[in-house]
Amino acid sequence: MENWWKSACVYQIYPASFNDSTGSGTGDILGIIEKLDHLVYLGIDVIWLSPVYASPMADNGYDISDYYAINPLFGTMTDMDLLIDTASEKGIKIIMDLVVNHTSDQHAWFQSALKDPESPYRDYYIWRENQGELPNDLESCFGGPAWTLDQESDNYYFHLFTKEQPDLNWNNEDMRHEIYNMMNWWLKKGITGFRMDVIDLIGKIPDEKITENGPMLHPYLKEMNLASYQDKDILTVGECWGADIDNAQLFSNPDGSELSMVFQFHHIKLRWDQGNKWNTIPLDLEAFKDVIETWQQGLHNTGWNSLFLGNHDLPRSVSYWGDDTHYRKESAKMLATLLHGLQGTPFVYQGEEIGMTNVQFDSIDQYKDVETMNFYTMRIEEGLSEEHVLDSIHKIGRDNARTPMQWSDAVNGGFSDGHPWIQVNPNYTDINVKASIQDDGSILNHYKKLIALRKNNTILTEGSFEFILREHTQVFAYQRTYLDKKLLCINNFSPDETTINLSLNGYLVRIHNYGSLLYNDTHANTLTLRPYESIILTN
Ligand code: ISL
């Protein structure tokens, strides 16, 4: 196989919430090292490490003040080197989060730019003269204007996220090369790639209100590729909210000129009411099938998919896509089966492998996320009831994914001996790694099987994709084909039992979330599926 990452499985670690080795209440790098065997157990090949760089933590590390330093909250550069080495000894590669659409306002470049308008770093950022009003009405993704006035110079600077995250000016060639040098510095340290934060924003033209997919996006990515990793066998994945099939074929072009793959978000947005993520609507299964088909077929042989249902910005996948109340185990395993049967590189977000759920804090004071806090303040100011606003936060808020990893039923879920920076989900007594390892039928052991299956079955990495029973309103079933091999992935995407007409003659059950078929007769032409039942078979 040409690209190793085509059969790899990636695990995302959100460091603050993974494992605290010091009792500080915040997860840290040595804490990750302590838990590497959990990833070995699962069969993980790659860690995507969310930011551990120096940061004032206005956006939990996505505001970097020094790309060459480690945040003391998480440890030291020596710890980081040890993590890279220890992981490597265990066969695990590390990809770093590359946050280069913006820096922290505390970064030396921005500080210099603020202090001295003649500084060479001034042009590393985006400034516009104050003409008595905002340069335009572009908004920050976290609410409020994307422009903030610097009183000193009477200039506005541009920021698509918080005002503590000024956007870099990618038109500045010196800045671009500083970024490429920094990437090379990290690669030299032994990391194996990057997850590129909101990378489809770097070609922006603020004056024309173009943010995503600006005209210089692909030229800059090609330049970055040449300057940094063209000759290296690494994994690069871009976070691209603006991805469609056409540009994804460029991003993930098999010629390797840009990235290995991108995260697209069309499936996530299906549950947003008219583009508003805070208003959740029920999943339209038909529309979900359309999205999956478009991406599976659209990138087959012409690009490469990433596969994911959750990350640190999204609600817990079993809560968003499944039923975390009545069928938590069944639906979590079904979702995993559905996803891991597809073509692409699967990403597992920490805690997903044990079916961690959303959390419902009673009070806004228990929340930490800047996006959530801004949303709360704005909506309360607009006159919405606290109950209404908290309901949205319970469903969608980013802190759902950021409560600490639940390792055991010990205090704080075994995450920390101190006072966790964010409360542990009280369901840790039932939902935790320790209990999951012991239970043969656990979500964790289901993931382990799925990940192992990918390693030994070329059809999973290479096979084509087509739906079966496409019109069925409950069942999400598809077939993968590679040479004379076929793989069926059948999922009851509902809490109701249903009988389907399908001959399984000649097929062998490989993975099953209930343990065995209700009618264990593969010669029958019908199959009754229990709630959220899911099966992978091959011929
Ligand atoms: O979830 C989101 C979209 O509705 C946003 O919260 C999020 O900002 C967006 O997904 C972009 O995310 C990335 O960049 C942000 C950072 O806050 C996120 O954690 C990161 O994943 C700014 O760096």
Side-chain angles (χ1 to χ4, degrees):
M1 189 168 316
E2 25 161 26
N3 295 114
W4 62 268
W5 37 260
K6 291 194 171 176
S7 60
C9 183
V10 185
Y11 187 94
Q12 184 191 351
I13 291 183
Y14 194 69
S17 305
F18 193 62
N19 184 37
D20 171 14
S21 73
T22 64
S24 69
T26 301
D28 48 57
I29 295 171
L30 294 179
I32 298 174
I33 298 176
E34 281 178 8
K35 297 292 185 185
L36 283 174
D37 284 340
H38 173 62
L39 307 192
V40 173
Y41 179 82
L42 264 173
I44 297 299
D45 307 280
V46 183
I47 293 169
W48 152 20
L49 187 62
S50 274
V52 289
Y53 313 91
S55 162
M57 301 292 270
D59 185 16
N60 276 7
Y62 284 88
D63 50 321
I64 298 172
S65 52
D66 185 350
Y67 293 103
Y68 295 91
I70 298 292
N71 187 336
L73 265 179
F74 299 133
T76 63
M77 193 57 84
T78 312
D79 299 345
M80 187 64 215
D81 290 333
L82 186 64
L83 172 62
I84 297 171
D85 289 349
T86 318
S88 162
E89 282 160 20
K90 293 177 189 282
I92 297 175
K93 302 173 166 60
I94 294 183
I95 66 172
M96 298 285 279
D97 221 308
L98 184 78
V99 189
V100 293
N101 171 70
H102 44 268
T103 67
S104 160
D105 62 350
Q106 300 305 307
H107 193 286
W109 297 340
F110 194 70
Q111 286 299 310
S112 167
L114 273 183
K115 282 189 197 100
D116 174 13
E118 300 306 313
S119 153
Y121 298 113
R122 181 82 176 178
D123 188 52
Y124 278 26
Y125 297 89
I126 300 165
W127 305 89
R128 294 293 177 266
E129 269 173 35
N130 179 8
Q131 300 188 326
E133 54 182 357
L134 293 167
N136 61 32
D137 61 0
L138 273 179
E139 294 215 334
S140 145
C141 297
F142 297 152
W147 301 97
T148 289
L149 188 65
D150 163 39
Q151 305 279 355
E152 196 66 35
S153 65
D154 202 29
N155 271 205
Y156 284 96
Y157 68 88
F158 186 70
H159 55 90
L160 278 168
F161 296 91
T162 69
K163 64 178 183 0
E164 291 82 17
Q165 292 164 294
D167 275 39
L168 285 166
N169 172 21
W170 273 75
N171 296 328
N172 184 300
E173 198 180 338
D174 293 341
M175 187 286 290
R176 296 203 304 276
H177 284 279
E178 294 226 36
I179 297 291
Y180 309 150
N181 291 343
M182 177 270 289
M183 292 169 70
N184 291 336
W185 186 85
W186 276 101
L187 287 171
K188 225 174 142 191
K189 263 188 169 303
I191 65 154
T192 314
F194 301 98
R195 173 269 184 184
M196 303 185 184
D197 193 62
V198 290
I199 200 70
D200 59 350
L201 301 178
I202 63 172
K204 69 184 78 77
I205 311 182
D207 305 284
E208 293 176 27
K209 297 209 236 175
I210 296 172
T211 53
E212 283 173 356
N213 301 324
M216 289 307 285
L217 169 59
H218 293 283
Y220 289 154
L221 283 176
K222 289 193 165 72
E223 180 186 80
M224 172 193 280
N225 181 303
L226 286 174
S228 171
Y229 51 84
Q230 186 207 32
D231 53 348
K232 302 184 184 76
D233 192 14
I234 68 165
L235 187 169
T236 49
V237 50
E239 184 200 19
C240 298
W241 284 82
D244 57 26
I245 289 293
D246 290 340
N247 63 29
Q249 287 176 345
L250 291 176
F251 287 128
S252 66
N253 193 325
D255 72 4
S257 55
E258 294 190 13
L259 306 170
S260 316
M261 64 193 92
V262 287
F263 294 127
Q264 61 82 19
F265 293 87
H266 290 267
H267 56 311
I268 304 291
K269 289 192 240 176
L270 289 175
R271 299 209 51 200
W272 296 9
D273 188 14
Q274 292 165 35
N276 180 352
K277 79 170 200 166
W278 296 100
N279 294 342
T280 311
I281 49 174
L283 179 68
D284 174 346
L285 192 64
E286 182 56 33
F288 184 43
K289 286 184 186 178
D290 286 344
V291 169
I292 298 295
E293 182 174 56
T294 301
W295 285 85
Q296 286 292 297
Q297 295 181 350
L299 294 188
H300 185 62
N301 293 335
T302 60
W304 192 251
N305 271 294
S306 71
L307 308 169
F308 73 98
L309 292 173
N311 66 29
H312 66 293
D313 294 329
L314 300 173
R316 287 285 172 182
S317 59
V318 67
S319 304
Y320 195 64
W321 302 94
D323 177 343
D324 66 3
T325 317
H326 302 104
Y327 293 104
R328 188 183 63 87
K329 274 192 175 181
E330 293 80 358
S331 63
K333 288 195 261 180
M334 182 280 289
L335 291 165
T337 313
L338 190 161
L339 196 78
H340 285 247
L342 297 171
Q343 187 175 38
T345 300
F347 286 70
V348 180
Y349 178 65
Q350 69 181 43
E352 176 188 313
E353 76 279 22
I354 54 167
M356 278 178 62
T357 66
N358 279 354
V359 72
Q360 302 207 353
F361 292 142
D362 300 328
S363 151
I364 190 65
D365 302 332
Q366 292 163 281
Y367 286 92
K368 306 290 172 194
D369 170 35
V370 60
E371 182 186 53
T372 298
M373 304 313 278
N374 288 354
F375 167 75
Y376 179 86
T377 312
M378 283 188 307
R379 290 296 178 269
I380 295 291
E381 273 170 20
E382 283 164 22
L384 287 185
S385 74
E386 164 135 48
E387 192 192 345
H388 184 96
V389 179
L390 277 179
D391 183 58
S392 290
I393 294 173
H394 292 160
K395 292 202 177 84
I396 290 297
R398 304 198 297 183
D399 283 336
N400 282 307
R402 300 178 182 186
T403 64
M405 183 69 187
Q406 297 166 200
W407 295 103
S408 71
D409 59 1
V411 185
N412 298 326
F415 159 73
S416 168
D417 296 335
H419 182 70
W421 71 279
I422 185 170
Q423 262 170 267
V424 179
N425 191 320
N427 64 20
Y428 73 85
T429 46
D430 294 324
I431 304 173
N432 61 65
V433 172
K434 192 170 163 219
S436 307
I437 288 182
Q438 286 154 4
D439 170 8
D440 230 21
S442 66
I443 301 167
L444 178 70
N445 284 318
H446 190 75
Y447 268 88
K448 184 177 162 72
K449 287 179 205 152
L450 286 167
I451 294 166
L453 192 74
R454 178 166 297 265
K455 298 276 176 309
N456 308 318
N457 291 274
T458 320
I459 188 167
L460 278 169
T461 43
E462 301 296 319
S464 63
F465 170 96
E466 64 191 25
F467 273 112
I468 47 179
L469 306 163
R470 167 82 197 234
E471 309 306 321
H472 201 292
T473 54
Q474 278 168 250
V475 172
F476 191 111
Y478 57 85
Q479 159 180 299
R480 305 279 312 276
T481 310
Y482 182 61
L483 309 173
D484 57 349
K485 276 298 255 183
K486 280 203 188 303
L487 178 145
L488 301 183
C489 183
I490 304 168
N491 304 285
N492 181 3
F493 209 114
S494 93
D496 303 313
E497 191 173 285
T498 184
T499 298
I500 55 174
N501 293 320
L502 189 70
S503 166
L504 298 182
N505 200 358
Y507 282 93
L508 254 177
V509 177
R510 304 296 295 270
I511 301 242
H512 191 227
N513 70 346
Y514 271 82
S516 65
L517 296 177
L518 200 54
Y519 300 131
N520 196 3
D521 173 9
T522 44
H523 294 279
N525 287 325
T526 60
L527 184 67
T528 299
L529 297 169
R530 286 161 284 190
Y532 295 105
E533 185 162 353
S534 77
I535 318 163
I536 288 184
L537 309 101
T538 53
N539 64 357

